[in-house]
Amino acid sequence: MNPILRDIPTEFSTDRLLIRMPKPGDGEVVYEAIQASRNEFKPWMPFAQREQTLEETEINIRESYINYLKRTDLRLLVFLKETGELVASSGLHRIDWDVPKFEIGYWIDTRHSGKGYMTEAVEGIQQFAFRELGARRVEIRCDSRNTKSRGVAERAGFNLDGILHSDSLSVEGDLRDTCIYSLTK
């Protein structure tokens, strides 16, 4: 089946979080979260290496909205149910609909870190992938030195499949090792 014919929910929730596809107009809250977290993102995130404008962030959100509708990439924004505040950006990326398999990527607004929100979001997203998308495999890949991302994967119950040594370049241009975590059905 062509993925564009799949009826996929555009939002779901966990105990404390509302997780939904991005919508036009979300650029402002995403921009503010990136600005507040830039120093923490810089060692890991290529997009944090240069200052983005609000307009560029809104363009990125609108492209993510289109990609969700096309089923080529399923970015998800994470909000607190209680207050409606943006907590994180995540999603299901590097999709292979033939298997089907997905990779969860994520970042959290550092003003909300340390409260278990990212682990809760990742648990909800992997359940969504298995239940709604028929996933057979869900992965998390991260730099082996990124202990916070590794901790989220481990707390969410993912298994370390292995470490790819000298797999890619860090944002500084040095070789890095990539940890591959997964859950399978």
mmCIF file with all atom_site columns, all heavy atoms in Angstrom, residues 107-126:
data_model
loop_
_atom_site.group_PDB
_atom_site.id
_atom_site.type_symbol
_atom_site.label_atom_id
_atom_site.label_alt_id
_atom_site.label_comp_id
_atom_site.label_asym_id
_atom_site.label_entity_id
_atom_site.label_seq_id
_atom_site.pdbx_PDB_ins_code
_atom_site.Cartn_x
_atom_site.Cartn_y
_atom_site.Cartn_z
_atom_site.occupancy
_atom_site.B_iso_or_equiv
_atom_site.pdbx_formal_charge
_atom_site.auth_seq_id
_atom_site.auth_comp_id
_atom_site.auth_asym_id
_atom_site.auth_atom_id
_atom_site.pdbx_PDB_model_num
ATOM 1   N N   . TRP A 1 107 ? 14.664 16.005 20.730 1.00 0.00 ? 107 TRP A N   1
ATOM 2   C CA  . TRP A 1 107 ? 15.339 16.998 21.554 1.00 0.00 ? 107 TRP A CA  1
ATOM 3   C C   . TRP A 1 107 ? 14.312 17.581 22.510 1.00 0.00 ? 107 TRP A C   1
ATOM 4   O O   . TRP A 1 107 ? 13.120 17.585 22.215 1.00 0.00 ? 107 TRP A O   1
ATOM 5   C CB  . TRP A 1 107 ? 16.049 18.085 20.752 1.00 0.00 ? 107 TRP A CB  1
ATOM 6   C CG  . TRP A 1 107 ? 15.243 18.913 19.786 1.00 0.00 ? 107 TRP A CG  1
ATOM 7   C CD1 . TRP A 1 107 ? 15.212 18.765 18.429 1.00 0.00 ? 107 TRP A CD1 1
ATOM 8   C CD2 . TRP A 1 107 ? 14.388 20.034 20.082 1.00 0.00 ? 107 TRP A CD2 1
ATOM 9   N NE1 . TRP A 1 107 ? 14.394 19.711 17.867 1.00 0.00 ? 107 TRP A NE1 1
ATOM 10  C CE2 . TRP A 1 107 ? 13.882 20.510 18.862 1.00 0.00 ? 107 TRP A CE2 1
ATOM 11  C CE3 . TRP A 1 107 ? 14.013 20.688 21.252 1.00 0.00 ? 107 TRP A CE3 1
ATOM 12  C CZ2 . TRP A 1 107 ? 13.004 21.595 18.783 1.00 0.00 ? 107 TRP A CZ2 1
ATOM 13  C CZ3 . TRP A 1 107 ? 13.136 21.769 21.178 1.00 0.00 ? 107 TRP A CZ3 1
ATOM 14  C CH2 . TRP A 1 107 ? 12.647 22.216 19.951 1.00 0.00 ? 107 TRP A CH2 1
ATOM 15  N N   . ILE A 1 108 ? 14.804 18.021 23.668 1.00 0.00 ? 108 ILE A N   1
ATOM 16  C CA  . ILE A 1 108 ? 13.911 18.602 24.675 1.00 0.00 ? 108 ILE A CA  1
ATOM 17  C C   . ILE A 1 108 ? 14.332 20.033 24.964 1.00 0.00 ? 108 ILE A C   1
ATOM 18  O O   . ILE A 1 108 ? 15.528 20.347 24.972 1.00 0.00 ? 108 ILE A O   1
ATOM 19  C CB  . ILE A 1 108 ? 13.889 17.744 25.965 1.00 0.00 ? 108 ILE A CB  1
ATOM 20  C CG1 . ILE A 1 108 ? 12.803 18.243 26.921 1.00 0.00 ? 108 ILE A CG1 1
ATOM 21  C CG2 . ILE A 1 108 ? 15.256 17.706 26.626 1.00 0.00 ? 108 ILE A CG2 1
ATOM 22  C CD1 . ILE A 1 108 ? 12.433 17.241 28.005 1.00 0.00 ? 108 ILE A CD1 1
ATOM 23  N N   . ASP A 1 109 ? 13.360 20.877 25.174 1.00 0.00 ? 109 ASP A N   1
ATOM 24  C CA  . ASP A 1 109 ? 13.608 22.236 25.645 1.00 0.00 ? 109 ASP A CA  1
ATOM 25  C C   . ASP A 1 109 ? 14.240 22.084 27.029 1.00 0.00 ? 109 ASP A C   1
ATOM 26  O O   . ASP A 1 109 ? 13.626 21.503 27.931 1.00 0.00 ? 109 ASP A O   1
ATOM 27  C CB  . ASP A 1 109 ? 12.274 22.994 25.714 1.00 0.00 ? 109 ASP A CB  1
ATOM 28  C CG  . ASP A 1 109 ? 12.411 24.427 26.185 1.00 0.00 ? 109 ASP A CG  1
ATOM 29  O OD1 . ASP A 1 109 ? 13.339 24.735 26.966 1.00 0.00 ? 109 ASP A OD1 1
ATOM 30  O OD2 . ASP A 1 109 ? 11.556 25.251 25.798 1.00 0.00 ? 109 ASP A OD2 1
ATOM 31  N N   . THR A 1 110 ? 15.447 22.577 27.205 1.00 0.00 ? 110 THR A N   1
ATOM 32  C CA  . THR A 1 110 ? 16.171 22.335 28.460 1.00 0.00 ? 110 THR A CA  1
ATOM 33  C C   . THR A 1 110 ? 15.466 22.921 29.680 1.00 0.00 ? 110 THR A C   1
ATOM 34  O O   . THR A 1 110 ? 15.734 22.490 30.798 1.00 0.00 ? 110 THR A O   1
ATOM 35  C CB  . THR A 1 110 ? 17.617 22.861 28.379 1.00 0.00 ? 110 THR A CB  1
ATOM 36  O OG1 . THR A 1 110 ? 17.597 24.232 28.012 1.00 0.00 ? 110 THR A OG1 1
ATOM 37  C CG2 . THR A 1 110 ? 18.410 22.088 27.365 1.00 0.00 ? 110 THR A CG2 1
ATOM 38  N N   . ARG A 1 111 ? 14.546 23.837 29.469 1.00 0.00 ? 111 ARG A N   1
ATOM 39  C CA  . ARG A 1 111 ? 13.765 24.357 30.599 1.00 0.00 ? 111 ARG A CA  1
ATOM 40  C C   . ARG A 1 111 ? 12.831 23.292 31.169 1.00 0.00 ? 111 ARG A C   1
ATOM 41  O O   . ARG A 1 111 ? 12.302 23.443 32.268 1.00 0.00 ? 111 ARG A O   1
ATOM 42  C CB  . ARG A 1 111 ? 12.965 25.597 30.170 1.00 0.00 ? 111 ARG A CB  1
ATOM 43  C CG  . ARG A 1 111 ? 13.856 26.760 29.731 1.00 0.00 ? 111 ARG A CG  1
ATOM 44  C CD  . ARG A 1 111 ? 13.061 27.883 29.125 1.00 0.00 ? 111 ARG A CD  1
ATOM 45  N NE  . ARG A 1 111 ? 12.461 27.477 27.866 1.00 0.00 ? 111 ARG A NE  1
ATOM 46  C CZ  . ARG A 1 111 ? 11.797 28.285 27.052 1.00 0.00 ? 111 ARG A CZ  1
ATOM 47  N NH1 . ARG A 1 111 ? 11.642 29.560 27.376 1.00 0.00 ? 111 ARG A NH1 1
ATOM 48  N NH2 . ARG A 1 111 ? 11.285 27.837 25.923 1.00 0.00 ? 111 ARG A NH2 1
ATOM 49  N N   . HIS A 1 112 ? 12.644 22.186 30.403 1.00 0.00 ? 112 HIS A N   1
ATOM 50  C CA  . HIS A 1 112 ? 11.761 21.100 30.842 1.00 0.00 ? 112 HIS A CA  1
ATOM 51  C C   . HIS A 1 112 ? 12.508 19.785 31.063 1.00 0.00 ? 112 HIS A C   1
ATOM 52  O O   . HIS A 1 112 ? 11.880 18.753 31.313 1.00 0.00 ? 112 HIS A O   1
ATOM 53  C CB  . HIS A 1 112 ? 10.657 20.882 29.795 1.00 0.00 ? 112 HIS A CB  1
ATOM 54  C CG  . HIS A 1 112 ? 9.734  22.041 29.661 1.00 0.00 ? 112 HIS A CG  1
ATOM 55  N ND1 . HIS A 1 112 ? 8.770  22.347 30.594 1.00 0.00 ? 112 HIS A ND1 1
ATOM 56  C CD2 . HIS A 1 112 ? 9.638  23.002 28.712 1.00 0.00 ? 112 HIS A CD2 1
ATOM 57  C CE1 . HIS A 1 112 ? 8.114  23.431 30.217 1.00 0.00 ? 112 HIS A CE1 1
ATOM 58  N NE2 . HIS A 1 112 ? 8.624  23.850 29.073 1.00 0.00 ? 112 HIS A NE2 1
ATOM 59  N N   . SER A 1 113 ? 13.833 19.803 30.971 1.00 0.00 ? 113 SER A N   1
ATOM 60  C CA  . SER A 1 113 ? 14.574 18.550 31.110 1.00 0.00 ? 113 SER A CA  1
ATOM 61  C C   . SER A 1 113 ? 14.654 18.126 32.574 1.00 0.00 ? 113 SER A C   1
ATOM 62  O O   . SER A 1 113 ? 14.441 18.920 33.487 1.00 0.00 ? 113 SER A O   1
ATOM 63  C CB  . SER A 1 113 ? 15.970 18.675 30.494 1.00 0.00 ? 113 SER A CB  1
ATOM 64  O OG  . SER A 1 113 ? 16.729 19.627 31.185 1.00 0.00 ? 113 SER A OG  1
ATOM 65  N N   . GLY A 1 114 ? 14.924 16.840 32.770 1.00 0.00 ? 114 GLY A N   1
ATOM 66  C CA  . GLY A 1 114 ? 15.065 16.289 34.107 1.00 0.00 ? 114 GLY A CA  1
ATOM 67  C C   . GLY A 1 114 ? 13.761 15.944 34.796 1.00 0.00 ? 114 GLY A C   1
ATOM 68  O O   . GLY A 1 114 ? 13.750 15.627 35.981 1.00 0.00 ? 114 GLY A O   1
ATOM 69  N N   . LYS A 1 115 ? 12.657 15.955 34.060 1.00 0.00 ? 115 LYS A N   1
ATOM 70  C CA  . LYS A 1 115 ? 11.346 15.672 34.651 1.00 0.00 ? 115 LYS A CA  1
ATOM 71  C C   . LYS A 1 115 ? 10.716 14.395 34.086 1.00 0.00 ? 115 LYS A C   1
ATOM 72  O O   . LYS A 1 115 ? 9.566  14.100 34.365 1.00 0.00 ? 115 LYS A O   1
ATOM 73  C CB  . LYS A 1 115 ? 10.413 16.863 34.436 1.00 0.00 ? 115 LYS A CB  1
ATOM 74  C CG  . LYS A 1 115 ? 10.935 18.129 35.092 1.00 0.00 ? 115 LYS A CG  1
ATOM 75  C CD  . LYS A 1 115 ? 10.109 19.332 34.735 1.00 0.00 ? 115 LYS A CD  1
ATOM 76  C CE  . LYS A 1 115 ? 10.763 20.567 35.337 1.00 0.00 ? 115 LYS A CE  1
ATOM 77  N NZ  . LYS A 1 115 ? 10.416 21.780 34.633 1.00 0.00 ? 115 LYS A NZ  1
ATOM 78  N N   . GLY A 1 116 ? 11.468 13.686 33.233 1.00 0.00 ? 116 GLY A N   1
ATOM 79  C CA  . GLY A 1 116 ? 10.952 12.449 32.663 1.00 0.00 ? 116 GLY A CA  1
ATOM 80  C C   . GLY A 1 116 ? 10.071 12.623 31.444 1.00 0.00 ? 116 GLY A C   1
ATOM 81  O O   . GLY A 1 116 ? 9.530  11.650 30.923 1.00 0.00 ? 116 GLY A O   1
ATOM 82  N N   . TYR A 1 117 ? 9.923  13.858 30.954 1.00 0.00 ? 117 TYR A N   1
ATOM 83  C CA  . TYR A 1 117 ? 9.039  14.091 29.810 1.00 0.00 ? 117 TYR A CA  1
ATOM 84  C C   . TYR A 1 117 ? 9.539  13.402 28.538 1.00 0.00 ? 117 TYR A C   1
ATOM 85  O O   . TYR A 1 117 ? 8.746  12.847 27.779 1.00 0.00 ? 117 TYR A O   1
ATOM 86  C CB  . TYR A 1 117 ? 8.885  15.585 29.528 1.00 0.00 ? 117 TYR A CB  1
ATOM 87  C CG  . TYR A 1 117 ? 8.193  16.372 30.612 1.00 0.00 ? 117 TYR A CG  1
ATOM 88  C CD1 . TYR A 1 117 ? 8.679  17.610 30.996 1.00 0.00 ? 117 TYR A CD1 1
ATOM 89  C CD2 . TYR A 1 117 ? 7.035  15.892 31.237 1.00 0.00 ? 117 TYR A CD2 1
ATOM 90  C CE1 . TYR A 1 117 ? 8.051  18.360 31.983 1.00 0.00 ? 117 TYR A CE1 1
ATOM 91  C CE2 . TYR A 1 117 ? 6.409  16.632 32.226 1.00 0.00 ? 117 TYR A CE2 1
ATOM 92  C CZ  . TYR A 1 117 ? 6.915  17.861 32.593 1.00 0.00 ? 117 TYR A CZ  1
ATOM 93  O OH  . TYR A 1 117 ? 6.292  18.601 33.568 1.00 0.00 ? 117 TYR A OH  1
ATOM 94  N N   . MET A 1 118 ? 10.854 13.462 28.306 1.00 0.00 ? 118 MET A N   1
ATOM 95  C CA  . MET A 1 118 ? 11.365 12.884 27.058 1.00 0.00 ? 118 MET A CA  1
ATOM 96  C C   . MET A 1 118 ? 11.218 11.372 27.068 1.00 0.00 ? 118 MET A C   1
ATOM 97  O O   . MET A 1 118 ? 10.826 10.785 26.064 1.00 0.00 ? 118 MET A O   1
ATOM 98  C CB  . MET A 1 118 ? 12.835 13.292 26.837 1.00 0.00 ? 118 MET A CB  1
ATOM 99  C CG  . MET A 1 118 ? 13.285 13.143 25.401 1.00 0.00 ? 118 MET A CG  1
ATOM 100 S SD  . MET A 1 118 ? 12.536 14.375 24.292 1.00 0.00 ? 118 MET A SD  1
ATOM 101 C CE  . MET A 1 118 ? 11.276 13.395 23.499 1.00 0.00 ? 118 MET A CE  1
ATOM 102 N N   . THR A 1 119 ? 11.490 10.739 28.192 1.00 0.00 ? 119 THR A N   1
ATOM 103 C CA  . THR A 1 119 ? 11.305 9.288  28.285 1.00 0.00 ? 119 THR A CA  1
ATOM 104 C C   . THR A 1 119 ? 9.839  8.928  28.077 1.00 0.00 ? 119 THR A C   1
ATOM 105 O O   . THR A 1 119 ? 9.525  8.001  27.328 1.00 0.00 ? 119 THR A O   1
ATOM 106 C CB  . THR A 1 119 ? 11.811 8.770  29.649 1.00 0.00 ? 119 THR A CB  1
ATOM 107 O OG1 . THR A 1 119 ? 13.200 9.101  29.782 1.00 0.00 ? 119 THR A OG1 1
ATOM 108 C CG2 . THR A 1 119 ? 11.628 7.266  29.762 1.00 0.00 ? 119 THR A CG2 1
ATOM 109 N N   . GLU A 1 120 ? 8.938  9.680  28.694 1.00 0.00 ? 120 GLU A N   1
ATOM 110 C CA  . GLU A 1 120 ? 7.500  9.437  28.534 1.00 0.00 ? 120 GLU A CA  1
ATOM 111 C C   . GLU A 1 120 ? 7.081  9.617  27.075 1.00 0.00 ? 120 GLU A C   1
ATOM 112 O O   . GLU A 1 120 ? 6.303  8.814  26.533 1.00 0.00 ? 120 GLU A O   1
ATOM 113 C CB  . GLU A 1 120 ? 6.711  10.385 29.434 1.00 0.00 ? 120 GLU A CB  1
ATOM 114 C CG  . GLU A 1 120 ? 5.218  10.180 29.379 1.00 0.00 ? 120 GLU A CG  1
ATOM 115 C CD  . GLU A 1 120 ? 4.457  11.082 30.344 1.00 0.00 ? 120 GLU A CD  1
ATOM 116 O OE1 . GLU A 1 120 ? 5.009  11.483 31.391 1.00 0.00 ? 120 GLU A OE1 1
ATOM 117 O OE2 . GLU A 1 120 ? 3.275  11.386 30.048 1.00 0.00 ? 120 GLU A OE2 1
ATOM 118 N N   . ALA A 1 121 ? 7.615  10.653 26.427 1.00 0.00 ? 121 ALA A N   1
ATOM 119 C CA  . ALA A 1 121 ? 7.286  10.886 25.016 1.00 0.00 ? 121 ALA A CA  1
ATOM 120 C C   . ALA A 1 121 ? 7.792  9.745  24.137 1.00 0.00 ? 121 ALA A C   1
ATOM 121 O O   . ALA A 1 121 ? 7.061  9.253  23.272 1.00 0.00 ? 121 ALA A O   1
ATOM 122 C CB  . ALA A 1 121 ? 7.870  12.221 24.550 1.00 0.00 ? 121 ALA A CB  1
ATOM 123 N N   . VAL A 1 122 ? 9.033  9.317  24.356 1.00 0.00 ? 122 VAL A N   1
ATOM 124 C CA  . VAL A 1 122 ? 9.600  8.227  23.545 1.00 0.00 ? 122 VAL A CA  1
ATOM 125 C C   . VAL A 1 122 ? 8.802  6.936  23.750 1.00 0.00 ? 122 VAL A C   1
ATOM 126 O O   . VAL A 1 122 ? 8.516  6.223  22.787 1.00 0.00 ? 122 VAL A O   1
ATOM 127 C CB  . VAL A 1 122 ? 11.104 8.036  23.863 1.00 0.00 ? 122 VAL A CB  1
ATOM 128 C CG1 . VAL A 1 122 ? 11.626 6.724  23.304 1.00 0.00 ? 122 VAL A CG1 1
ATOM 129 C CG2 . VAL A 1 122 ? 11.907 9.207  23.306 1.00 0.00 ? 122 VAL A CG2 1
ATOM 130 N N   . GLU A 1 123 ? 8.411  6.655  24.975 1.00 0.00 ? 123 GLU A N   1
ATOM 131 C CA  . GLU A 1 123 ? 7.578  5.470  25.225 1.00 0.00 ? 123 GLU A CA  1
ATOM 132 C C   . GLU A 1 123 ? 6.255  5.580  24.463 1.00 0.00 ? 123 GLU A C   1
ATOM 133 O O   . GLU A 1 123 ? 5.800  4.622  23.836 1.00 0.00 ? 123 GLU A O   1
ATOM 134 C CB  . GLU A 1 123 ? 7.329  5.300  26.720 1.00 0.00 ? 123 GLU A CB  1
ATOM 135 C CG  . GLU A 1 123 ? 8.558  4.853  27.480 1.00 0.00 ? 123 GLU A CG  1
ATOM 136 C CD  . GLU A 1 123 ? 8.392  4.911  28.992 1.00 0.00 ? 123 GLU A CD  1
ATOM 137 O OE1 . GLU A 1 123 ? 7.448  5.587  29.488 1.00 0.00 ? 123 GLU A OE1 1
ATOM 138 O OE2 . GLU A 1 123 ? 9.212  4.281  29.686 1.00 0.00 ? 123 GLU A OE2 1
ATOM 139 N N   . GLY A 1 124 ? 5.635  6.749  24.502 1.00 0.00 ? 124 GLY A N   1
ATOM 140 C CA  . GLY A 1 124 ? 4.371  6.951  23.786 1.00 0.00 ? 124 GLY A CA  1
ATOM 141 C C   . GLY A 1 124 ? 4.541  6.853  22.283 1.00 0.00 ? 124 GLY A C   1
ATOM 142 O O   . GLY A 1 124 ? 3.698  6.269  21.589 1.00 0.00 ? 124 GLY A O   1
ATOM 143 N N   . ILE A 1 125 ? 5.632  7.394  21.767 1.00 0.00 ? 125 ILE A N   1
ATOM 144 C CA  . ILE A 1 125 ? 5.867  7.368  20.317 1.00 0.00 ? 125 ILE A CA  1
ATOM 145 C C   . ILE A 1 125 ? 6.147  5.953  19.830 1.00 0.00 ? 125 ILE A C   1
ATOM 146 O O   . ILE A 1 125 ? 5.630  5.544  18.791 1.00 0.00 ? 125 ILE A O   1
ATOM 147 C CB  . ILE A 1 125 ? 6.997  8.351  19.943 1.00 0.00 ? 125 ILE A CB  1
ATOM 148 C CG1 . ILE A 1 125 ? 6.521  9.794  20.173 1.00 0.00 ? 125 ILE A CG1 1
ATOM 149 C CG2 . ILE A 1 125 ? 7.443  8.155  18.498 1.00 0.00 ? 125 ILE A CG2 1
ATOM 150 C CD1 . ILE A 1 125 ? 7.628  10.827 20.168 1.00 0.00 ? 125 ILE A CD1 1
ATOM 151 N N   . GLN A 1 126 ? 6.922  5.179  20.581 1.00 0.00 ? 126 GLN A N   1
ATOM 152 C CA  . GLN A 1 126 ? 7.176  3.802  20.132 1.00 0.00 ? 126 GLN A CA  1
ATOM 153 C C   . GLN A 1 126 ? 5.890  2.981  20.198 1.00 0.00 ? 126 GLN A C   1
ATOM 154 O O   . GLN A 1 126 ? 5.632  2.166  19.318 1.00 0.00 ? 126 GLN A O   1
ATOM 155 C CB  . GLN A 1 126 ? 8.341  3.145  20.884 1.00 0.00 ? 126 GLN A CB  1
ATOM 156 C CG  . GLN A 1 126 ? 8.180  2.933  22.361 1.00 0.00 ? 126 GLN A CG  1
ATOM 157 C CD  . GLN A 1 126 ? 7.530  1.615  22.748 1.00 0.00 ? 126 GLN A CD  1
ATOM 158 O OE1 . GLN A 1 126 ? 7.224  0.776  21.921 1.00 0.00 ? 126 GLN A OE1 1
ATOM 159 N NE2 . GLN A 1 126 ? 7.298  1.456  24.032 1.00 0.00 ? 126 GLN A NE2 1
#
